[in-house]
Amino acid sequence: MPYINIKVTDEGVTAEQKKALIRGTTELMVKVLNKTPNTTFVVIDEVNTDNWGIGYEQVTEIRGK
Amino acid sequence: MPYINIKVTDEGVTAEQKKALIRGTTELMVKVLNKTPNTTFVVIDEVNTDNWGIGYEQVTEIRGK
Amino acid sequence: MPYINIKVTDEGVTAEQKKALIRGTTELMVKVLNKTPNTTFVVIDEVNTDNWGIGYEQVTEIRGK
Amino acid sequence: MPYINIKVTDEGVTAEQKKALIRGTTELMVKVLNKTPNTTFVVIDEVNTDNWGIGYEQVTEIRGK
Amino acid sequence: MPYINIKVTDEGVTAEQKKALIRGTTELMVKVLNKTPNTTFVVIDEVNTDNWGIGYEQVTEIRGK
Amino acid sequence: MPYINIKVTDEGVTAEQKKALIRGTTELMVKVLNKTPNTTFVVIDEVNTDNWGIGYEQVTEIRGK
């Protein structure tokens, strides 16, 4: 039943990393909460660095320094 | 006032299907909760199949079997 | 695979209405997108009217007029 | 049309502060994006400090130091 | 600690406007709730007008009138 | 920078389990994506079983069988 949404900046997350995030998050739900993998959703959102702000600035600006 | 977010995999949802989802969801809010259509938001997010995991696997992997 | 999140104000949504929202939304995913009911999640969030704003005002304020 | 969701810890956000957040956010959408206030939603979620983690710890743990 | 998610239609939001939204939202959290800018996240989601519905219609349809 | 939202039903998630979810998720971001723990947010939402539907039914109904 868990639904897990992972939001990260779109800075080159590879297919392998996505698989690792999905496996790791699902495994955590199984181990900690005894949830069923087949009804555990993991959704990864990749956000443009122009669209993510922290400390008043866009990540694009922060990366540019 | 309702805000409804529909997350589905980006597996070819057509414009007509999106219209049907928006109409159907709005109609449901009107019929069940007597909400006002003009302040009922429906937002559809289409998620890459690499980015959606279920049962430890990416939907891309599941579809590939 | 769909995940649908319905956000409404916490103005007395009954158990029957919640069942109707869950059934209706799931049915819509099946009919429009041919999705599988057993992997279709519907999550209803009920938001305090102090915490929902529209047109500069809290719903609490709007209701109070 | 904008939908803005503000998630903060439930550490005593007052009704006046909620009003200020709703007004300020709506005003920002109007000034920056020329949006219509009557179709601008602001939803505030207050999250228990046990349920918010940063730097490996719950906010409850951080506050307790 | 705040996490603010701004969802708007993808109708040409400029880099400057995104900066203004990030600055303004962060400033609001600092002024109203005394939050720390370096742990205040602002994430902007730009949604295709086909994927946003209001009053039974897609924004694409509404704009086309 | 990651923001992770974990939605589960409110079926007695203990403080210890919440700590384990926060630690495990943060550790996953560090190991897989080399992210900074102090700017990694984990937010856990506990949803009433009346408010979570799967396969046309509320979790409350499913649990009652």
Side-chain angles (χ1 to χ4, degrees):
Chain A
M1 222 76 76
Y3 169 76
I4 302 102
N5 179 220
I6 299 173
K7 284 195 198 300
V8 289
T9 48
D10 64 350
E11 298 178 281
V13 184
T14 67
E16 279 317 302
Q17 289 173 321
K18 291 175 186 178
K19 286 175 188 171
L21 291 175
I22 288 169
R23 273 199 307 273
T25 309
T26 308
E27 185 55 25
L28 196 60
M29 298 300 138
V30 173
K31 265 197 327 187
V32 175
L33 297 177
N34 195 27
K35 295 296 184 184
T36 309
N38 285 345
T39 51
T40 294
F41 288 0
V42 180
V43 171
I44 302 166
D45 290 326
E46 298 171 80
V47 178
N48 188 295
T49 56
D50 272 13
N51 289 36
W52 195 304
I54 177 168
Y56 288 110
E57 293 185 294
Q58 294 171 313
V59 171
T60 306
E61 294 173 284
I62 296 167
R63 298 290 187 247
K65 291 181 180 174
Chain B
M1 222 77 74
Y3 169 77
I4 303 102
N5 179 220
I6 299 172
K7 284 194 196 303
V8 289
T9 47
D10 63 352
E11 298 178 282
V13 183
T14 67
E16 281 314 304
Q17 289 173 320
K18 290 175 186 178
K19 286 176 189 171
L21 292 175
I22 289 169
R23 272 200 308 272
T25 309
T26 307
E27 186 55 25
L28 195 61
M29 298 299 138
V30 173
K31 266 198 324 190
V32 176
L33 296 177
N34 195 28
K35 295 297 185 183
T36 309
N38 285 347
T39 52
T40 294
F41 288 179
V42 181
V43 171
I44 302 166
D45 291 327
E46 298 171 80
V47 178
N48 188 295
T49 57
D50 272 14
N51 289 36
W52 195 304
I54 177 168
Y56 290 111
E57 292 185 295
Q58 293 171 311
V59 171
T60 306
E61 295 173 285
I62 296 168
R63 297 289 186 250
K65 290 181 179 175
Chain C
M1 221 74 75
Y3 169 77
I4 302 102
N5 179 219
I6 300 172
K7 282 194 199 303
V8 288
T9 47
D10 63 352
E11 299 179 281
V13 184
T14 67
E16 279 317 303
Q17 287 173 321
K18 291 175 185 177
K19 287 176 188 170
L21 290 175
I22 288 169
R23 272 200 309 272
T25 309
T26 308
E27 185 55 25
L28 196 62
M29 298 300 138
V30 173
K31 266 198 325 187
V32 176
L33 296 177
N34 195 27
K35 295 296 185 184
T36 309
N38 285 345
T39 51
T40 295
F41 288 0
V42 180
V43 170
I44 302 165
D45 290 326
E46 297 171 82
V47 178
N48 187 294
T49 56
D50 272 12
N51 290 35
W52 195 305
I54 177 168
Y56 289 112
E57 293 186 292
Q58 293 171 312
V59 170
T60 307
E61 295 173 283
I62 295 167
R63 299 287 187 249
K65 291 181 179 174
Chain D
M1 220 73 75
Y3 169 77
I4 303 103
N5 180 219
I6 299 172
K7 283 194 198 304
V8 287
T9 47
D10 63 352
E11 299 179 278
V13 184
T14 66
E16 280 316 303
Q17 288 173 319
K18 292 176 186 177
K19 286 176 188 171
L21 291 175
I22 289 169
R23 272 199 310 271
T25 309
T26 307
E27 186 55 25
L28 195 61
M29 298 299 138
V30 172
K31 264 197 327 187
V32 176
L33 297 177
N34 194 28
K35 295 295 185 183
T36 309
N38 285 346
T39 50
T40 296
F41 288 0
V42 180
V43 171
I44 302 166
D45 290 326
E46 297 171 81
V47 178
N48 187 295
T49 57
D50 271 13
N51 289 36
W52 196 305
I54 178 168
Y56 288 111
E57 293 186 293
Q58 294 170 313
V59 170
T60 307
E61 295 173 284
I62 296 167
R63 299 288 187 248
K65 289 180 179 175
Chain E
M1 221 75 74
Y3 168 77
I4 303 102
N5 179 220
I6 300 173
K7 285 193 196 302
V8 288
T9 46
D10 64 351
E11 299 179 280
V13 184
T14 66
E16 281 315 303
Q17 289 173 320
K18 291 176 185 177
K19 286 176 188 170
L21 291 175
I22 289 169
R23 273 199 308 272
T25 309
T26 307
E27 186 55 25
L28 195 60
M29 297 300 139
V30 173
K31 267 198 325 189
V32 175
L33 296 177
N34 194 29
K35 295 295 184 184
T36 309
N38 285 346
T39 50
T40 295
F41 287 0
V42 180
V43 171
I44 302 166
D45 290 326
E46 298 171 81
V47 178
N48 188 295
T49 56
D50 271 13
N51 289 36
W52 195 304
I54 177 167
Y56 288 111
E57 293 185 293
Q58 294 172 310
V59 170
T60 307
E61 295 171 284
I62 296 168
R63 298 289 186 247
K65 291 182 179 174
Chain F
M1 222 72 78
Y3 169 78
I4 302 103
N5 179 220
I6 299 172
K7 283 195 198 301
V8 287
T9 48
D10 64 351
E11 299 179 280
V13 184
T14 67
E16 280 317 303
Q17 288 173 320
K18 291 175 186 178
K19 286 176 188 171
L21 291 175
I22 288 169
R23 271 199 310 271
T25 309
T26 308
E27 185 57 24
L28 195 61
M29 298 300 137
V30 173
K31 265 198 326 186
V32 175
L33 296 177
N34 194 28
K35 295 295 185 185
T36 309
N38 286 346
T39 50
T40 295
F41 288 178
V42 180
V43 171
I44 302 165
D45 290 325
E46 297 170 80
V47 178
N48 188 294
T49 56
D50 271 14
N51 289 36
W52 195 304
I54 176 168
Y56 290 111
E57 294 185 292
Q58 293 171 313
V59 169
T60 306
E61 295 173 285
I62 295 167
R63 300 287 187 249
K65 290 181 179 174

